[in-house]
Amino acid sequence: GYLLFLGILQDDTEAQAEWLAEKILVLRLFEGADGKINDRSIADIKGEILIVSQFTLAGDVSKGSRPDYTGAADREEAKRLYGYFIDCMKKTGLTVATGEFGAMMEVSLVNDGPVTLILER
């Protein structure tokens, strides 16, 4: 399955959340029956998805030595869009689990393969 870290920026929209959900559903990142990489999607394998809010993805380190998080959406809007994105993903019929918005969490990941992507629009 997928572990998705979702960072929401100030100008992000519901349309972007919908696009992201659709893109995630069809991305071919899983091996096919013949072992060919990038042959099947999360929908094809009926995989599971864990979505974790991660505002630090909005961190800008282009200046100085401290991340600047001013590009992140304000808390209420980010929480709303996080929930909207989760709803979009649940409509796919896949099993979707979530983290707790804004909470400190320990997340473990076993990365089975060489693929970690940044998706943005």
Side-chain angles (χ1 to χ4, degrees):
Y2 290 156
L3 169 57
L4 303 178
F5 292 105
L6 183 66
I8 299 173
L9 302 178
Q10 286 180 8
D11 296 327
D12 285 349
T13 65
E14 289 180 0
Q16 287 170 303
E18 293 164 7
W19 174 88
L20 184 60
E22 291 170 14
K23 186 72 166 180
I24 288 166
L25 190 62
V26 299
L27 274 176
R28 296 188 314 173
L29 301 176
F30 295 94
E31 286 184 1
D34 61 359
K36 181 180 176 186
I37 191 168
N38 298 342
D39 195 42
R40 297 185 303 163
S41 71
I42 190 89
D44 294 333
I45 68 160
K46 296 181 179 40
E48 298 179 357
I49 298 174
L50 172 60
I51 305 168
V52 177
S53 65
Q54 187 70 30
F55 98 98
T56 60
L57 289 173
D60 179 0
V61 293
S62 61
K63 297 178 185 171
S65 57
R66 273 186 202 181
D68 175 5
Y69 300 109
T70 57
D74 70 63
R75 182 177 176 80
E76 290 309 309
E77 180 62 5
K79 186 174 184 177
R80 185 188 74 75
L81 278 175
Y82 175 67
Y84 185 81
F85 176 73
I86 290 167
D87 290 343
C88 289
M89 291 307 303
K90 286 183 176 179
K91 289 177 185 174
T92 68
L94 297 176
T95 299
V96 175
T98 65
E100 183 179 335
F101 182 87
M104 294 292 292
M105 293 178 289
E106 289 185 23
V107 177
S108 296
L109 165 66
V110 175
N111 199 357
D112 183 17
V115 181
T116 302
L117 301 171
I118 297 172
L119 301 177
E120 59 186 346
R121 181 170 193 157

